[in-house]
């Protein structure tokens, strides 16, 4: 009455067959060895060295302010209509063209702001911005 036998036929062999794994690794190694020189293939050149600095000339900013009474200020200097037109014409000829920053009092009539904008446009100034105050 034997409960189990210890013969050689019933032994379980827990070893993993690594031969297919080694074959796959060798194939991958050969593929990498052949493709790496193609990726690094370049002509070696001794290129000249040059120093280059960007020449960014920032345009001048002109502050045009209009108070509640409709008086126009050019960089804090009071102007009349004819002086403003001549200064706008002179500023339009400068390269790079200056930016016009328009500041108007809250109570300034819209008509006065529109006149200054029209004078700037007809004078040839193309860059104009409105300066406002951030809400508190």
């Amino acid at each position: 009455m034997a409960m189990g036998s210890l013969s050689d036929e019933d032994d379980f062999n827990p070893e993993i067959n690594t031969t297919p794994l080694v074959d796959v690794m060798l194939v991958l190694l050969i593929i990498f060895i052949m493709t790496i020189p193609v990726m690094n293939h370049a002509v070696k050149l001794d290129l000249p060295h040059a120093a280059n600095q960007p020449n960014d000339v920032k345009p001048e900013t002109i502050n045009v302010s209009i108070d509640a009474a409709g008086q126009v200020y050019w960089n804090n200097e009071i102007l009349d209509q004819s002086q403003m037109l001549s200064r706008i014409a002179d500023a339009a000829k400068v390269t790079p063209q200056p930016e016009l920053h328009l500041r108007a009092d809250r109570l300034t009539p819209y008509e006065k702001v529109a006149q200054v904008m029209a004078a700037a446009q007809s004078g040839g100034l193309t860059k104009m911005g409105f300066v406002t105050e951030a809400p508190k």
Side-chain angles (χ1 to χ4, degrees), residues 62-105:
I62 300 169
N63 292 315
V64 175
S65 304
I66 307 171
D67 63 7
Q71 184 63 49
V72 178
Y73 297 86
W74 182 281
N75 288 335
N76 298 326
E77 182 183 334
I78 297 175
L79 297 179
D80 63 1
Q81 185 70 17
S82 63
Q83 290 174 329
M84 183 181 63
L85 292 174
S86 66
R87 289 208 184 172
I88 288 175
D90 292 341
K93 295 175 187 173
V94 176
T95 304
Q97 199 172 65
E99 294 178 5
L100 185 72
H101 292 180
L102 183 60
R103 302 167 191 245
D105 189 85

Side-chain angles (χ1 to χ4, degrees), residues 4 8 11-13 16 19 36 40-41 51 53 58 61 69 80 83-84 93-94 100-101 106 111 114 119 122 124-125:
D8 289 336
D11 285 343
F12 179 69
N13 188 2
I16 298 174
T19 304
I36 287 178
N40 292 332
H41 182 68
Q53 296 178 355
K58 299 210 176 192
T61 58
D80 63 1
Q83 290 174 329
M84 183 181 63
K93 295 175 187 173
V94 176
L100 185 72
H101 292 180
R106 181 179 304 204
E111 181 181 4
S122 65
L125 288 178

Side-chain angles (χ1 to χ4, degrees), residues 33-45:
I33 287 173
M34 294 186 69
T35 57
I36 287 178
V38 173
M39 291 171 42
N40 292 332
H41 182 68
V43 177
K44 302 284 183 188
L45 296 176

